[in-house]
Amino acid sequence: MSESLRSGDLWVEVLVDSPAAEKLYTYALPADISVQPGDILTVNFGAAQVGAIAIRCLDQPPPDLDSVKIRPILDRVSSGFFPPGYWELLQRVADYYHTSLMQAIRVALPPGLLQRSQRRIRLTVQNLSPEAIAELSLAAQQLLHLLQGNASGDYAWKYLQQKHKQAQRGLRELCQRGWVESYLQPVTTVKPKIQQAVTLLTLPDQELSPRQSQILELLQQRGGELWLQDLLQAAHTSVSTLRTLENKGYLAIASQQRLRLETGVNASSDLPQTLTAAQQKALDTIQSLQGYQQVLLHGVTGSGKTEVYLQAIAPILAKGKSALVLVPEIGLTPQLSDRCRARFGQNVCVYHSALSEGERYDTWRQLLAGDPQVIIGTRSAIFAPLPHLGLIILDEEHDAGFKQEHPAPSYHARTVAAWRAELTPCPLILGSATPSLESWSRRQEPGLAVAARKSDPHYLHLPERIHAQPLPPISVIDMRQELAAGNRSMFSRQLGTALEELAAQKQQGILFIPRRGHSTFVSCRSCGYVADCPNCSVSLTYHFTPATSHPRLRCHYCNYTRPHPNQCPDCQSPYFKYFGSGTQRVIEALGLEFPQLRLLRFDSDTTRTKGSHRQLLDRFAHAEADLMVGTQMLTKGIDLPQVTLVGVLSADSLLNFPDFRAGERTFQTLTQVAGRAGRGDQPGQVILQTYSPDHPVIQAVSQYEFEAFLATELEQRIALHYPPAGQLIVLRLSGLDGDRTEATAELLAELLRVRIHQSETLVELLGPAPANILRVAQHYRWQILLKLPPNPKTASFELPVAELRALCPSSIRFSIDVDPLTLL
DNA sequence: AGCACGCCGACT
DNA sequence: GTCGGCGTGCTC
């Protein structure tokens, strides 16, 4: 036996990116690759190539493993970019939310970093006779037709599967005839984008023609370096002209890496504003923080929280550190990223799921560089691998968008942010006009600071708007009285008057509808039949788009659609119509009653495409419309100074939502939307329509009684052991077979009852119960609710996750939601 | 996720 | 008797 030619480890234990494989696998290390823990690798796993993460290096293979099974590592994708504490953060996420480390890694890393090989299908024959095709099954014919529609006859298998339910059957048939073949395309890593760049070397002189001098001068004006394609366009010249200049030694043309970063519009520069006394006090407190501390910045709408954030970030950047700003939905806050860029220049990155794979990859690389920068992102940005993190800000911390639903881990960015700030360590600012009950109840009262726990947030209040603007008065309109007075319109007389004045006085308004689509449901007024989805137990929604000319019904859960029948399918009555008032219906009614108003629709249907939020907001800002009509999206962080009127049509559907947080949500939503009014020079007003004007939530909103409202809400939560007084965990099961899903749920519940009994804790088990909407996309859903009251004993209760999973057959999906935001 | 293996029903 | 359906288990 010859001695090994190199010292060190020859085997690596890795975590493989495969759904079922959660244990470590051992791979051999080829001589030309070196690996350290944390590196991202590519390995063969079964038939496929998949991504893997090196966990541990070994100097000898595990004795219980047959050495012939060991395969070599194929490639090292990237090395050494996890900041200290990063693995501990991911491990905490995995532990707290009861998922595997691999699943935590999957949500943290950008998709594409852990690449997997792709199964593709390729057509291998041409000119098939129609007779031969006719012999095939329908499934095979459809598949063949799809493949023939593409010039190369080559598709990803996943794409074909989603295109045709029967693709599997068709594929087998075509493979047997040898007409198609299926192959594995190896891992293709995202590559840096390379482009030609032109650099100015020498200034023009007498030797050159006027045209050549002109080009060099242009290049000099633009900073001496430009991308080739940009220069060609700007100078209206050709590559050959530039080559001549290159040969004469005036400029250089070379390939350079171009980072695909979302840069946005180049805003004019923005200078720090003078702070109000309350803002200054808040900023002073934030700047006095050392290490890990939390701050709850409670600033009413229009109180200038953003300015406090920006001035808190500035010294962090000056110290050479980075700041992370999390927002609930990136599309809703173009103003924030514009303002950050205007204040801090180019070192502002935007990171969210709507970026393309290339953009994400490049943004990720930019983060790793470690230069001081500001990262604005949605919840997953809390995992951005910043080496020198100095501050984390969660804006609109009450927003439900910070909670991930799917896939597991179902984490809350606020919870993870607290861990990240603790591990880094650095301060964490939670900002909101309507703080969550969770954060508000943990706040340190100034007088109690000594007794408080270190992790509890300092409470900083900005009770007034900047420039001494008043909060807009809120008028509550009783819609029952409107009806009694003979007003059958969906607009009260007071709202009608306000809308008429709006156009007359050239002001702008917002009309908020707490719903989506044309209406809630379609029903027959003769027999009561309700059109609902054949897949999900949920009523269909009426949609009318001029493009399709005929109205359609749509399921908002599984997207099933059908044409709207003219008569009731059950009793043939012609009185088969929609109820309620969705955005479209309101727009129609507005058009009839207030034809002079120019309208803009702002909801999930009109803001679906990339950049459409910004476009709509820009059009509104340029006074292309008088009234913006829309849903939930209108409530979030948009700052439109010219808005004087905010109208809310029926607050009731929010109030009556079946959830223990409905009151808190309604308060937050209504307060936020009211806050859109009167942010400029002109005073605002809010008109709130409801059928239950005496409801405590409506009363609290109309009087801006935040503290009193939350205190009452907290009492109720304590009485019922709902968060923040106690913890909730929901176990969710779903499967195609309803009986089997129910039986499995019973089985899990039984195991849990035994374990709870054995643990002698006060954990309460509710259910199993069918989910409120039992069937979604043909899957039956059941859930088990665990309530852990605030008691030292319940904290010791451990969920027997492995046993629960073992009881679940593979045909039933099982997920655990720790701290669920909704119990639907 | 794929893919192999293995056990039941419908057909030559 | 075989073919082919898909339910269960493994991948260093």
Side-chain angles (χ1 to χ4, degrees):
Chain A
M1 280 290 288
S2 65
E3 288 253 326
S4 172
L5 288 178
R6 66 197 172 115
S7 59
D9 307 307
L10 294 172
W11 292 271
V12 188
E13 283 190 310
V14 306
L15 204 47
V16 176
D17 180 26
S18 178
E22 303 295 359
K23 62 166 194 165
L24 296 180
Y25 287 82
T26 309
Y27 284 82
L29 192 57
D32 57 333
I33 302 178
S34 72
V35 162
Q36 50 184 331
D39 288 359
I40 294 189
L41 313 169
T42 302
V43 297
N44 283 324
F45 191 68
Q49 276 179 28
V50 299
I53 296 185
I55 299 297
R56 202 162 30 206
C57 294
L58 305 173
D59 53 13
Q60 56 183 45
D64 54 334
L65 182 65
D66 187 353
S67 62
V68 298
K69 281 172 132 183
I70 299 180
R71 297 160 86 177
I73 284 165
L74 296 175
D75 196 11
R76 193 186 70 181
V77 177
S78 70
S79 183
F81 62 58
F82 293 100
Y86 195 82
W87 285 101
E88 199 181 337
L89 179 72
L90 295 187
Q91 191 63 59
R92 269 197 206 186
V93 171
D95 291 346
Y96 184 81
Y97 292 103
H98 300 292
T99 60
S100 66
L101 180 60
M102 196 64 214
Q103 276 174 303
I105 289 170
R106 270 197 281 265
V107 304
L109 301 192
L113 207 62
L114 283 179
Q115 275 278 341
R116 52 170 50 252
S117 55
Q118 199 189 40
R119 178 148 299 281
R120 295 186 70 86
I121 310 300
R122 181 159 53 198
L123 198 59
T124 52
V125 289
Q126 288 173 4
N127 307 324
L128 291 167
S129 70
E131 295 79 29
I133 294 172
E135 283 175 27
L136 296 168
S137 71
L138 188 63
Q141 285 187 30
Q142 285 175 334
L143 196 62
L144 189 63
H145 186 72
L146 212 60
L147 285 163
Q148 286 173 328
N150 178 308
S152 58
D154 185 308
Y155 277 103
W157 174 230
K158 261 208 160 146
Y159 172 80
L160 295 176
Q161 270 180 312
Q162 68 169 44
K163 210 78 181 170
H164 284 297
K165 198 108 182 57
Q166 299 275 1
Q168 178 84 50
R169 185 184 314 216
L171 176 69
R172 195 166 312 171
E173 219 172 306
L174 294 174
C175 278
Q176 276 169 0
R177 289 174 197 251
W179 293 354
V180 303
E181 66 179 2
S182 107
Y183 65 102
L184 272 175
Q185 187 190 61
V187 167
T188 49
T189 36
V190 185
K191 293 273 189 303
K193 184 176 178 178
I194 303 296
Q195 270 192 355
Q196 297 287 103
V198 185
T199 312
L200 182 68
L201 298 177
T202 318
L203 287 174
D205 54 35
Q206 300 306 313
E207 182 198 322
L208 294 173
S209 71
R211 186 86 188 95
Q212 289 170 327
S213 304
Q214 214 181 341
I215 293 167
L216 293 180
E217 274 162 22
L218 182 80
L219 191 55
Q220 189 195 4
Q221 278 168 19
R222 303 284 186 96
E225 188 167 71
L226 274 180
W227 296 108
L228 180 66
Q229 63 186 45
D230 294 345
L231 180 61
L232 290 179
Q233 205 178 11
H236 301 290
T237 184
S238 65
V239 181
S240 59
T241 315
L242 295 180
R243 289 280 171 214
T244 314
L245 286 167
E246 186 187 23
N247 290 336
K248 289 184 176 175
Y250 289 91
L251 48 78
I253 303 176
S255 293
Q256 274 190 28
Q257 186 183 317
R258 178 166 194 174
L259 290 175
R260 290 150 291 193
L261 304 174
E262 194 199 285
T263 46
V265 288
N266 241 347
S268 53
S269 71
D270 178 45
L271 294 172
Q273 296 166 9
T274 310
L275 299 180
T276 64
Q279 281 177 316
Q280 187 62 52
K281 193 167 162 251
L283 183 64
D284 290 345
T285 309
I286 290 165
Q287 293 190 331
S288 72
L289 301 179
Q290 300 280 322
Y292 170 51
Q293 302 262 301
Q294 284 194 33
V295 165
L296 176 59
L297 181 62
H298 175 198
V300 298
T301 54
S303 62
K305 287 186 295 295
T306 308
E307 185 60 31
V308 176
Y309 299 154
L310 294 181
Q311 296 201 25
I313 290 170
I316 300 290
L317 294 177
K319 274 188 262 178
K321 292 186 169 186
S322 295
L324 193 51
V325 183
L326 299 191
V327 293
E329 267 181 75
I330 204 76
L332 301 174
T333 52
Q335 291 157 348
L336 179 64
S337 53
D338 284 354
R339 204 156 147 202
C340 277
R341 288 213 176 85
R343 183 74 59 91
F344 302 119
Q346 282 312 297
N347 289 333
V348 177
C349 286
V350 175
Y351 186 81
H352 56 92
S353 58
L355 295 179
S356 74
E357 202 157 279
E359 285 172 327
R360 251 201 246 210
Y361 175 80
D362 288 348
T363 306
W364 193 259
R365 287 162 54 90
Q366 166 103 342
L367 303 187
L368 297 173
D371 301 332
Q373 53 202 312
V374 182
I375 292 87
I376 301 167
T378 45
R379 60 173 179 267
S380 64
I382 192 58
F383 297 108
L386 288 163
H388 310 294
L389 188 55
L391 178 66
I392 304 174
I393 296 169
L394 244 95
D395 190 29
E396 310 292 353
E397 65 88 32
H398 64 279
D399 197 287
F402 286 121
K403 180 78 156 74
Q404 166 129 326
E405 296 274 348
H406 288 294
S410 181
Y411 67 95
H412 198 298
R414 188 176 55 213
T415 308
V416 181
W419 294 330
R420 179 127 200 220
E422 182 190 347
L423 289 167
T424 300
C426 72
L428 167 64
I429 301 176
L430 306 173
S432 177
T434 51
S436 63
L437 194 49
E438 272 85 353
S439 298
W440 186 80
S441 64
R442 285 196 303 119
R443 79 204 185 285
Q444 296 177 15
E445 294 277 16
L448 304 174
V450 186
R453 281 173 299 166
K454 191 174 177 261
S455 61
D456 288 338
H458 299 270
Y459 180 66
L460 303 177
H461 197 191
L462 307 177
E464 279 164 16
R465 288 187 156 185
I466 51 171
H467 310 314
Q469 298 154 348
L471 284 165
I474 300 174
S475 321
V476 177
I477 308 296
D478 185 347
M479 290 305 278
R480 297 170 305 186
Q481 286 186 11
E482 289 293 315
L483 195 65
N487 178 11
R488 297 181 154 264
S489 153
M490 61 173 81
F491 312 107
S492 61
R493 287 160 296 178
Q494 190 171 343
L495 181 57
T497 311
L499 288 173
E500 275 162 11
E501 284 173 2
L502 198 64
Q505 297 179 359
K506 302 241 177 290
Q507 293 177 333
Q508 285 185 300
I510 283 176
L511 190 60
F512 172 60
I513 305 147
R515 265 201 216 116
R516 187 196 155 191
H518 199 101
S519 72
T520 41
F521 61 103
V522 180
S523 71
C524 173
R525 285 166 200 192
S526 298
C527 74
Y529 170 88
V530 175
D532 49 24
C533 172
N535 303 319
C536 318
S537 349
V538 61
S539 52
L540 294 173
T541 305
Y542 182 93
H543 275 257
F544 182 77
T545 28
T548 53
S549 71
H550 194 77
R552 297 189 72 82
L553 304 180
R554 180 183 301 275
C555 169
H556 275 170
Y557 281 77
C558 73
N559 215 25
Y560 164 89
T561 85
R562 56 171 286 189
H564 178 251
N566 294 321
Q567 321 178 305
C568 172
D570 218 35
C571 73
Q572 278 72 48
S573 156
Y575 299 105
F576 187 67
K577 288 196 173 157
Y578 49 79
F579 272 112
S581 20
T583 323
Q584 294 184 11
R585 173 100 189 278
V586 175
I587 296 253
E588 281 166 23
L590 283 167
L592 288 174
E593 294 187 40
F594 308 98
Q596 73 278 22
L597 282 178
R598 293 167 305 155
L599 308 174
L600 209 55
R601 184 175 158 200
F602 193 78
D603 61 12
S604 54
D605 285 342
T606 56
T607 55
R608 194 164 296 157
T609 54
K610 204 172 175 175
S612 53
H613 286 106
R614 180 182 237 126
Q615 221 185 338
L616 283 171
L617 290 174
D618 281 350
R619 285 176 58 191
F620 194 62
H622 292 119
E624 285 181 36
D626 309 304
L627 187 67
M628 188 141 74
V629 184
T631 51
Q632 302 289 342
M633 300 187 169
L634 283 175
T635 61
K636 302 187 187 178
I638 52 178
D639 188 13
L640 298 162
Q642 69 280 26
V643 170
T644 54
L645 172 70
V646 165
V648 179
L649 285 184
S650 98
D652 303 74
S653 60
L654 285 176
L655 278 175
N656 301 321
F657 198 71
D659 190 278
F660 75 90
R661 270 186 251 256
E664 187 187 354
R665 285 265 170 78
T666 306
F667 183 90
Q668 289 165 345
T669 304
L670 294 179
T671 305
Q672 294 278 354
V673 76
R676 303 304 122 207
R679 285 167 158 257
D681 305 328
Q682 312 240 10
Q685 66 160 325
V686 179
I687 295 175
L688 179 53
Q689 303 189 160
T690 178
Y691 290 88
S692 36
D694 302 322
H695 195 289
V697 173
I698 300 294
Q699 288 298 313
V701 168
S702 65
Q703 303 297 315
Y704 291 100
E705 282 172 346
F706 178 80
E707 301 238 332
F709 170 72
L710 281 196
T712 329
E713 189 73 20
L714 187 59
E715 274 172 36
Q716 291 172 13
R717 303 276 181 96
I718 290 169
L720 295 166
H721 295 161
Y722 276 123
Q727 190 183 29
L728 294 181
I729 299 177
V730 176
L731 311 185
R732 296 200 168 94
L733 293 102
S734 88
L736 289 166
D737 182 336
D739 293 341
R740 212 167 163 208
T741 310
E742 182 181 354
T744 308
E746 284 294 352
L747 204 64
L748 299 200
E750 197 42 51
L751 171 76
L752 282 167
R753 282 191 203 103
V754 172
R755 287 286 182 277
I756 291 167
H757 183 73
Q758 288 170 348
S759 71
E760 295 179 10
T761 59
L762 297 167
V763 175
E764 300 165 44
L765 186 146
L766 287 88
N772 263 16
I773 292 155
L774 179 58
R775 212 148 68 104
V776 171
Q778 308 197 17
H779 280 255
Y780 289 87
R781 306 184 305 147
W782 286 76
Q783 60 189 28
I784 301 166
L785 177 62
L786 293 174
K787 265 190 188 179
L788 287 72
N791 181 295
K793 274 200 115 175
T794 55
S796 66
F797 177 73
E798 286 216 18
L799 204 60
V801 183
E803 284 174 87
L804 291 170
R805 284 195 198 284
L807 284 176
C808 270
S810 56
S811 60
I812 292 178
R813 283 188 301 215
F814 172 56
S815 66
I816 301 171
D817 190 351
V818 180
D819 307 330
L821 279 193
T822 162
L823 297 180
L824 279 184

